[in-house]
Amino acid sequence: MKRFFFLMTLFGLCFAQISANEHSSNESKKNEISFKLGMFPAAESIVGTFSSVFFSIGDSLSNSEKDGTSELLPLPTVSVEYLRKVADKHAIGVSASFGAPTLYSYETNSTKKNASIMYTSVMFKWRGYYMQGDLLSLYGGLGIGAEVFFANGDNGGLLTPFVSFQGTPIGVKIGNDAFFGTMECTVGSEGSLLTIGGGINF
Protein backbone atom coordinates (compact mmCIF):
# COMPACT_ATOMS: atom_id res chain seq x y z
CA MET A 1 0.00 0.00 0.00
CA LYS A 2 2.82 2.40 0.80
CA ARG A 3 4.40 1.60 -2.53
CA PHE A 4 1.09 2.35 -4.28
CA PHE A 5 0.80 5.78 -2.59
CA PHE A 6 4.42 6.49 -3.39
CA LEU A 7 3.88 5.69 -7.09
CA MET A 8 0.67 7.77 -7.17
CA THR A 9 2.46 10.70 -5.55
CA LEU A 10 5.34 10.40 -7.99
CA PHE A 11 2.91 10.24 -10.92
CA GLY A 12 1.05 13.29 -9.61
CA LEU A 13 4.27 15.28 -9.29
CA CYS A 14 5.33 14.35 -12.84
CA PHE A 15 1.91 15.31 -14.22
CA ALA A 16 2.02 18.64 -12.36
CA GLN A 17 5.48 19.33 -13.74
CA ILE A 18 4.37 18.54 -17.31
CA SER A 19 1.32 20.76 -16.91
CA ALA A 20 3.47 23.59 -15.54
CA ASN A 21 5.88 23.24 -18.46
CA GLU A 22 3.01 23.32 -20.98
CA HIS A 23 1.52 26.36 -19.27
CA SER A 24 4.91 28.09 -19.27
CA SER A 25 5.37 27.21 -22.95
CA ASN A 26 1.96 28.62 -23.84
CA GLU A 27 2.68 31.77 -21.88
CA SER A 28 6.01 32.24 -23.65
CA LYS A 29 4.38 31.94 -27.07
CA LYS A 30 2.18 34.99 -26.63
CA ASN A 31 4.80 37.20 -28.29
CA GLU A 32 5.88 37.37 -31.90
CA ILE A 33 8.28 39.43 -33.92
CA SER A 34 8.25 39.49 -37.71
CA PHE A 35 9.92 41.14 -40.68
CA LYS A 36 7.89 42.15 -43.73
CA LEU A 37 8.41 43.31 -47.30
CA GLY A 38 5.79 45.39 -49.09
CA MET A 39 5.42 47.41 -52.26
CA PHE A 40 3.45 50.53 -53.21
CA PRO A 41 2.68 52.09 -49.83
CA ALA A 42 -0.57 53.90 -50.54
CA ALA A 43 -0.19 57.57 -49.63
CA GLU A 44 3.61 57.48 -49.65
CA SER A 45 3.78 56.36 -53.28
CA ILE A 46 1.52 59.20 -54.41
CA VAL A 47 3.43 61.82 -52.44
CA GLY A 48 6.72 60.31 -53.53
CA THR A 49 5.83 60.37 -57.20
CA PHE A 50 4.80 64.02 -57.20
CA SER A 51 7.74 65.09 -55.05
CA SER A 52 10.28 63.21 -57.15
CA VAL A 53 8.93 64.58 -60.40
CA PHE A 54 8.91 68.11 -58.97
CA PHE A 55 12.44 67.98 -57.62
CA SER A 56 13.92 66.23 -60.63
CA ILE A 57 12.43 67.86 -63.68
CA GLY A 58 10.81 71.05 -62.45
CA ASP A 59 13.40 73.24 -64.06
CA SER A 60 13.97 70.91 -67.02
CA LEU A 61 10.43 71.43 -68.24
CA SER A 62 11.01 75.19 -68.39
CA ASN A 63 14.04 75.03 -70.66
CA SER A 64 14.63 73.77 -74.16
CA GLU A 65 15.98 70.35 -73.13
CA LYS A 66 12.75 68.42 -73.11
CA ASP A 67 14.05 65.41 -75.00
CA GLY A 68 15.45 62.63 -72.88
CA THR A 69 14.65 59.50 -70.95
CA SER A 70 13.05 59.17 -67.55
CA GLU A 71 12.58 56.27 -65.18
CA LEU A 72 10.41 55.96 -62.07
CA LEU A 73 11.35 52.99 -59.91
CA PRO A 74 9.27 51.76 -56.97
CA LEU A 75 11.38 50.24 -54.20
CA PRO A 76 10.23 47.90 -51.40
CA THR A 77 9.32 48.89 -47.87
CA VAL A 78 10.89 46.95 -44.99
CA SER A 79 8.98 46.63 -41.71
CA VAL A 80 9.57 45.03 -38.35
CA GLU A 81 6.56 44.25 -36.16
CA TYR A 82 6.13 43.14 -32.55
CA LEU A 83 2.80 41.78 -31.31
CA ARG A 84 1.62 40.36 -28.01
CA LYS A 85 -1.57 38.40 -27.50
CA VAL A 86 -3.74 40.12 -24.90
CA ALA A 87 -6.76 37.83 -25.39
CA ASP A 88 -7.59 34.64 -27.20
CA LYS A 89 -8.33 36.39 -30.50
CA HIS A 90 -6.65 39.76 -30.06
CA ALA A 91 -3.08 41.02 -30.18
CA ILE A 92 -1.59 44.49 -29.93
CA GLY A 93 1.86 45.86 -30.60
CA VAL A 94 3.99 48.24 -32.64
CA SER A 95 5.69 48.30 -36.01
CA ALA A 96 8.43 50.37 -37.60
CA SER A 97 8.88 50.76 -41.35
CA PHE A 98 11.43 52.25 -43.70
CA GLY A 99 10.89 52.65 -47.40
CA ALA A 100 11.80 54.51 -50.57
CA PRO A 101 8.61 54.31 -52.62
CA THR A 102 9.99 56.24 -55.60
CA LEU A 103 13.36 56.80 -57.21
CA TYR A 104 13.17 59.16 -60.19
CA SER A 105 15.86 59.55 -62.82
CA TYR A 106 15.74 62.01 -65.75
CA GLU A 107 18.54 62.11 -68.29
CA THR A 108 19.26 64.19 -71.41
CA ASN A 109 22.35 64.51 -73.55
CA SER A 110 23.86 67.11 -71.23
CA THR A 111 22.22 66.62 -67.84
CA LYS A 112 21.23 63.86 -65.50
CA LYS A 113 18.90 64.49 -62.58
CA ASN A 114 17.94 62.16 -59.76
CA ALA A 115 15.46 62.42 -56.95
CA SER A 116 14.17 60.07 -54.30
CA ILE A 117 11.75 60.09 -51.44
CA MET A 118 12.21 58.01 -48.31
CA TYR A 119 10.12 57.70 -45.20
CA THR A 120 10.19 56.08 -41.81
CA SER A 121 7.08 55.37 -39.77
CA VAL A 122 6.05 54.00 -36.39
CA MET A 123 2.57 52.60 -35.83
CA PHE A 124 0.44 51.13 -33.07
CA LYS A 125 -0.95 47.81 -34.32
CA TRP A 126 -3.99 45.68 -33.54
CA ARG A 127 -4.70 42.20 -34.88
CA GLY A 128 -7.90 40.19 -34.63
CA TYR A 129 -8.00 36.48 -35.50
CA TYR A 130 -10.80 35.03 -37.61
CA MET A 131 -9.50 31.49 -37.16
CA GLN A 132 -6.60 29.91 -35.29
CA GLY A 133 -5.16 26.49 -36.00
CA ASP A 134 -2.02 24.56 -35.18
CA LEU A 135 -0.42 25.33 -38.53
CA LEU A 136 -2.65 27.97 -40.17
CA SER A 137 -4.38 31.09 -38.87
CA LEU A 138 -6.47 33.78 -40.56
CA TYR A 139 -6.57 37.33 -39.25
CA GLY A 140 -7.16 40.99 -39.98
CA GLY A 141 -5.60 44.11 -38.54
CA LEU A 142 -5.31 47.87 -38.32
CA GLY A 143 -2.44 50.26 -37.68
CA ILE A 144 -2.17 54.00 -37.07
CA GLY A 145 0.83 56.16 -36.32
CA ALA A 146 3.15 58.88 -37.60
CA GLU A 147 5.96 59.12 -40.10
CA VAL A 148 8.52 61.50 -41.54
CA PHE A 149 9.24 62.04 -45.24
CA PHE A 150 12.74 62.71 -46.54
CA ALA A 151 12.64 63.95 -50.13
CA ASN A 152 15.71 65.13 -51.99
CA GLY A 153 16.65 66.11 -55.52
CA ASP A 154 18.76 68.45 -57.59
CA ASN A 155 16.39 71.33 -56.86
CA GLY A 156 16.31 71.01 -53.09
CA GLY A 157 14.97 68.85 -50.30
CA LEU A 158 11.91 68.26 -48.20
CA LEU A 159 11.42 67.06 -44.64
CA THR A 160 7.84 66.80 -43.46
CA PRO A 161 5.74 64.81 -40.97
CA PHE A 162 2.81 62.73 -42.13
CA VAL A 163 0.22 60.26 -40.82
CA SER A 164 0.87 56.56 -41.34
CA PHE A 165 -1.80 53.88 -41.45
CA GLN A 166 -2.20 50.24 -42.34
CA GLY A 167 -5.26 48.12 -43.07
CA THR A 168 -5.18 44.34 -43.41
CA PRO A 169 -8.58 42.90 -44.40
CA ILE A 170 -7.15 39.39 -44.40
CA GLY A 171 -3.83 37.81 -43.59
CA VAL A 172 -2.58 34.22 -43.50
CA LYS A 173 -0.09 32.95 -40.92
CA ILE A 174 1.49 29.53 -41.54
CA GLY A 175 3.98 27.87 -39.23
CA ASN A 176 4.60 26.07 -35.96
CA ASP A 177 5.21 27.20 -32.38
CA ALA A 178 8.65 28.55 -33.24
CA PHE A 179 8.68 29.93 -36.80
CA PHE A 180 6.04 31.23 -39.18
CA GLY A 181 5.47 32.99 -42.48
CA THR A 182 2.79 35.53 -43.34
CA MET A 183 1.04 36.69 -46.48
CA GLU A 184 -1.30 39.68 -46.20
CA CYS A 185 -3.73 41.55 -48.41
CA THR A 186 -2.97 45.10 -47.31
CA VAL A 187 -3.26 48.80 -47.99
CA GLY A 188 -1.22 51.46 -46.23
CA SER A 189 2.24 52.50 -45.15
CA GLU A 190 3.76 49.01 -45.03
CA GLY A 191 2.66 48.21 -48.56
CA SER A 192 -0.44 47.69 -50.64
CA LEU A 193 -1.96 44.72 -52.46
CA LEU A 194 0.36 42.04 -51.03
CA THR A 195 2.81 42.03 -48.12
CA ILE A 196 4.91 38.99 -47.23
CA GLY A 197 6.95 38.26 -44.15
CA GLY A 198 8.21 35.80 -41.59
CA GLY A 199 9.14 35.69 -37.95
CA ILE A 200 9.38 33.84 -34.65
CA ASN A 201 7.10 33.16 -31.70
CA PHE A 202 8.52 33.48 -28.22
Side-chain angles (χ1 to χ4, degrees):
M1 183 64 73
K2 290 182 179 180
R3 182 177 297 177
F4 174 77
F5 281 116
F6 174 76
L7 291 175
M8 290 298 294
T9 302
L10 185 62
F11 176 77
L13 290 174
C14 290
F15 180 78
Q17 181 64 34
I18 292 173
S19 299
N21 288 338
E22 288 181 351
H23 177 73
S24 175
S25 176
N26 290 334
E27 286 293 322
S28 66
K29 301 301 182 181
K30 286 188 175 182
N31 303 284
E32 71 173 59
I33 188 166
S34 61
F35 296 89
K36 300 179 182 181
L37 284 178
M39 296 290 291
F40 309 113
E44 292 81 1
S45 293
I46 297 172
V47 174
T49 299
F50 281 104
S51 297
S52 297
V53 170
F54 172 78
F55 283 118
S56 284
I57 64 170
D59 62 344
S60 296
L61 293 177
S62 62
N63 59 37
S64 58
E65 285 188 342
K66 294 183 179 179
D67 296 327
T69 60
S70 62
E71 191 173 17
L72 187 63
L73 301 174
L75 299 177
T77 294
V78 179
S79 302
V80 57
E81 179 182 75
Y82 165 77
L83 291 173
R84 177 175 174 82
K85 270 195 171 182
V86 294
D88 185 45
K89 293 187 176 182
H90 300 278
I92 59 173
V94 295
S95 71
S97 302
F98 176 80
T102 54
L103 175 64
Y104 192 91
S105 177
Y106 179 85
E107 185 173 3
T108 67
N109 294 329
S110 59
T111 62
K112 182 176 181 180
K113 296 181 180 293
N114 295 292
S116 65
I117 184 166
M118 298 175 288
Y119 73 98
T120 181
S121 73
V122 177
M123 287 186 285
F124 171 80
K125 302 294 287 290
W126 167 82
R127 176 186 290 177
Y129 287 91
Y130 305 128
M131 183 200 79
Q132 296 183 82
D134 292 336
L135 295 177
L136 185 145
S137 298
L138 300 178
Y139 60 88
L142 293 172
I144 187 73
E147 65 188 24
V148 177
F149 276 106
F150 308 93
N152 65 83
D154 295 329
N155 294 328
L158 172 68
L159 175 64
T160 183
F162 204 66
V163 176
S164 59
F165 71 94
Q166 187 71 23
T168 305
I170 187 165
V172 180
K173 179 180 178 181
I174 302 174
N176 54 31
D177 286 342
F179 304 100
F180 63 86
T182 60
M183 185 169 58
E184 301 174 342
C185 174
T186 59
V187 58
S189 299
E190 293 178 355
S192 299
L193 300 179
L194 183 66
T195 302
I196 60 173
I200 59 172
N201 297 306
F202 62 97

